[in-house]
């Protein structure tokens, strides 16, 4: 996915996917040559009606469906309306639903950028940054996406991202329709409105991000065999070497170890500059993850809302540390107890 310019210029580790946005939204499109299905519906080619949209606030909808027929009746009108408005449209779905919509749109399908769900829904924080970058460029946009989760941990992280979308994109023009075959209660908690066969409704279960509980369960203590190093300003360089050596000895690839070193350095720099002036880094393996914990013992805690989820303004000279670290690692967990903050960076070993 496209990273923030600061990361793109400074670091390009494998797995961080530092490529230009056009590569993501063009080259990942599926082949145009698809078999056409016989349908009972005929559509006249959709003509764009530019200028008809006006100043439209951002809309974030959950769209539950059960059958292919329901899917078409909910998704197809939204796509056709977007084409008529001249919106930029990004359509993300499982292969079978991509084929279904293409068969009904005919030649107009080529005017929509289509990506398979498994190719889009990877790293939650990177996808959020990529979507925001896409949505804020070039006028109103329409996103229609059907999520796929790889694990319960992924699902929990995606729920946080869905909530953050309501803040990050609030000032943009456009809409995001998040389609769920069997929507969990979490979907209605993170979407202000939902669309079903009866129309569009206000979500009674919606919880604004500022009122959600963002605190993870209390961290378990690191295992007895964990490797530990204390650091301060004079020893930050040695801390970087400690992280790299420990990570590669544990089996992390050179590229992944480089990403971890950069992320840990950003967190440690925050502890030195804005916190107690010193801290502790602890590294161990947990299942298939390598975990690197940076503890700031007296930094007043982390007071930033949604730490590391919201990208800083490009003109800003501050605020990159947590965001860069969340982009680089497979998972970042933040916990504050009193004045102590602990940040755990997870990197997959395989």
């Amino acid at each position: 996915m496209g990273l923030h310019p600061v990361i793109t210029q400074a670091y390009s580790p494998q797995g961080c996917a530092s490529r230009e946005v056009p590569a993501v939204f063009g080259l990942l499109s599926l082949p145009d040559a698809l078999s056409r299905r016989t349908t009972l519906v005929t559509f006249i080619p959709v003509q764009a009606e530019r200028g008809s949209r006006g100043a439209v606030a951002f809309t974030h909808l959950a769209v539950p469906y059960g059958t292919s027929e329901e899917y078409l009746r909910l998704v197809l009108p939204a796509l056709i309306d977007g084409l008529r408005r001249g919106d930029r449209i990004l359509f993300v779905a499982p292969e079978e639903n991509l084929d279904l919509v293409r068969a009904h749109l005919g030649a107009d399908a080529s005017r929509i950028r289509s990506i398979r769900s498994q190719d889009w829904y990877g790293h939650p924080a990177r996808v959020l940054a990529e979507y925001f970058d896409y949505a804020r460029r070039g006028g109103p946009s329409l996103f229609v996406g059907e999520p796929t989760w790889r694990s319960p941990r992924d699902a929990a992280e995606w729920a946080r991202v869905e909530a953050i979308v309501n803040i990050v994109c609030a000032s943009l023009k456009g809409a995001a329709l998040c389609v769920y075959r069997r929507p969990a209660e979490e979907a209605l908690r993170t979407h202000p409105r939902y669309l079903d066969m009866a129309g569009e409704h206000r979500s009674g279960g919606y919880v604004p991000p500022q009122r959600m509980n963002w605190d993870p369960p209390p961290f378990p203590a690191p295992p007895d065999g964990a490797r530990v190093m204390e650091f301060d300003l004079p020893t930050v360089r040695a801390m970087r070497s400690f992280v790299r050596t420990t990570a590669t000895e544990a089996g992390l690839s050179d590229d992944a170890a480089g990403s971890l070193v950069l992320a840990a350095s950003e967190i440690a720099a925050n502890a030195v500059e804005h916190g107690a002036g010193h801290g502790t880094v602890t590294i161990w393996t947990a299942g298939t993850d390598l975990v690197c914990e940076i503890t700031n013992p007296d930094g007043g805690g982390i007071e930033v809302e949604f730490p590391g989820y919201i990208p800083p303004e490009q003109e800003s000279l501050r605020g990159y540390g947590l965001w860069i670290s969340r982009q680089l690692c497979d998972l970042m967990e933040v916990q504050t107890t009193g004045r102590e903050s602990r940040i755990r960076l997870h990197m997959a070993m395989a």
Side-chain angles (χ1 to χ4, degrees):
M1 62 167 294
L3 294 179
H4 195 280
V6 168
I7 301 181
T8 304
Q9 294 167 11
Y11 203 73
S12 298
Q14 182 180 0
C16 201
S18 56
R19 56 183 183 268
E20 296 297 325
V21 171
V24 176
F25 295 98
L27 298 183
L28 282 185
S29 296
L30 298 177
D32 292 331
L34 290 171
S35 59
R36 300 298 183 198
R37 299 180 182 177
T38 302
T39 67
L40 299 178
V41 183
T42 301
F43 288 99
I44 299 172
V46 179
Q47 301 298 319
E49 299 173 358
R50 294 194 176 276
S52 63
R53 187 181 187 103
V56 179
F58 182 77
T59 303
H60 190 203
L61 291 170
V63 185
Y65 79 99
T67 66
S68 296
E69 180 183 359
E70 289 178 354
Y71 183 89
L72 280 176
R73 291 179 62 184
L74 291 166
V75 169
L76 203 56
L79 294 173
I80 292 173
D81 285 346
L83 288 170
R84 286 179 174 150
R85 288 191 302 263
D87 290 354
R88 295 172 300 116
I89 302 176
L90 177 60
F91 177 41
V92 182
E95 189 83 56
E96 62 272 18
N97 286 341
L98 289 174
D99 289 350
L100 190 63
V101 167
R102 281 198 179 104
H104 282 73
L105 282 180
D108 282 318
S110 64
R111 298 164 54 193
I112 295 175
R113 288 172 173 168
S114 301
I115 302 176
R116 296 185 306 169
S117 291
Q118 60 264 41
D119 293 331
W120 173 262
Y121 288 99
H123 188 291
R126 294 176 199 160
V127 172
L128 173 62
E130 186 171 358
Y131 172 66
F132 174 68
D133 196 49
Y134 170 76
R136 68 189 177 90
R137 293 170 182 257
S141 66
L142 171 64
F143 172 80
V144 178
E146 183 171 353
T148 56
W149 316 139
R150 294 174 298 182
S151 67
R153 187 174 80 177
D154 265 6
E157 189 69 2
W158 274 111
R160 298 184 184 98
V161 166
E162 290 274 31
I164 291 294
V165 163
N166 298 300
I167 294 176
V168 172
C169 299
S171 63
L172 303 180
K173 295 179 182 179
L177 278 62
C178 301
V179 186
Y180 296 87
R181 181 178 286 274
R182 293 183 179 86
E185 180 181 343
E186 198 70 36
L188 297 181
R189 294 181 66 236
T190 56
H191 293 76
R193 304 185 68 81
Y194 69 95
L195 177 69
D196 62 15
M197 300 300 292
E200 186 178 323
H201 315 273
R202 178 180 170 274
S203 176
Y206 174 65
V207 179
Q210 297 87 342
R211 290 171 46 200
M212 293 181 69
N213 180 13
W214 291 82
D215 295 329
F219 288 163
D224 292 338
R227 298 189 62 181
V228 181
M229 177 182 173
E230 295 184 351
F231 64 87
D232 54 14
L233 181 59
T235 58
V236 166
R237 184 183 297 272
M239 184 275 293
R240 295 192 189 104
S241 297
F242 168 76
V243 172
R244 182 180 293 277
T245 299
T246 305
T248 53
E249 287 179 353
L252 210 61
S253 70
D254 289 342
D255 289 333
S259 295
L260 181 61
V261 169
L262 182 55
S265 297
E266 290 289 340
I267 303 302
N270 281 345
V272 169
E273 184 177 358
H274 306 295
H278 60 92
T280 304
V281 59
T282 309
I283 304 177
W284 69 95
T285 56
T288 59
D289 282 1
L290 184 76
V291 183
C292 177
E293 179 182 270
I294 297 93
T295 302
N296 182 4
D298 190 27
I302 294 179
E303 299 177 354
V304 179
E305 275 192 317
F306 323 116
Y309 285 102
I310 299 179
E313 295 294 333
Q314 293 191 16
E315 298 79 10
S316 175
L317 298 178
R318 305 178 63 87
Y320 292 99
L322 291 170
W323 188 81
I324 288 175
S325 299
R326 194 176 289 282
Q327 293 287 308
L328 290 172
C329 296
D330 292 312
L331 177 69
M332 184 176 85
E333 299 176 294
V334 178
Q335 189 163 87
T336 298
T337 305
R339 293 185 60 82
E340 179 184 80
S341 66
R342 299 162 70 190
I343 295 180
R344 290 190 171 179
L345 307 172
H346 294 248
M347 297 295 287
M349 301 286 288

